[in-house]
Amino acid sequence: MTTRRRFLMMVPVSGAVLAAACSKQEEPAAAAPAPAPAPAPAPAEPPAAAAPAPAASPAPVAAGPMVEATDPTAVALGYVAVAANHDTAKYPNFVAGSNCANCALYQGAAGTEAGPCPLFAGKQVAAAGWCSSWVKKTT
Ligand code: SF4
């Protein structure tokens, strides 16, 4: 009896063990490792480095011919190539010492004899010149 009873008690246990063992075998094999993703295409060559920007200097202004005394704009503004030659009767508010070189509109480099002025596009005015639109340079 003892043997039979023991056998009957062991059947469920062994059955459970067998079922567990079988269930492990029935599990799908471990998934094959996913294929490695295709290597990313090599990054494109970075664009060629742009030329370094010039230092904080203003863009150069193209030089042009000198403003002629007969230029209609020069006549209208009373421009003279030498400030002292301005029309004192017509421009009584002339500021002593004023000239193109110390005018806010003058675009010539310091120390140059002539430079562009936006009032005379494409032309140059004399650094020693003057016109009635003179505005004191602040810097
Ligand atoms: Fe000279 Fe200034 Fe007159 Fe231009 S605006 S012509 S720089 S005085």
Side-chain angles (χ1 to χ4, degrees):
M1 285 295 272
T2 308
T3 309
R4 185 176 176 195
R5 183 171 289 162
R6 288 183 85 183
F7 174 76
L8 290 174
M9 291 176 63
M10 290 177 59
V11 167
V13 172
S14 58
V17 171
L18 280 173
C22 289
S23 67
K24 283 187 180 178
Q25 289 177 353
E26 290 175 0
E27 285 180 4
E45 286 289 322
S57 60
V61 179
M66 294 299 293
V67 172
E68 299 287 337
T70 56
D71 183 292
T73 305
V75 172
L77 296 177
Y79 171 79
V80 288
V82 177
N85 294 340
H86 71 282
D87 186 339
T88 54
K90 195 171 181 181
Y91 303 106
N93 295 329
F94 174 82
V95 176
S98 62
N99 57 38
C100 292
N102 58 29
C103 175
L105 300 179
Y106 185 69
Q107 297 177 338
T112 55
E113 294 184 7
C117 170
L119 299 185
F120 299 95
K123 298 179 181 177
Q124 295 191 80
V125 296
W130 178 90
C131 86
S132 60
S133 294
W134 178 87
V135 178
K136 184 178 181 181
K137 185 180 286 186
T138 55
T139 54

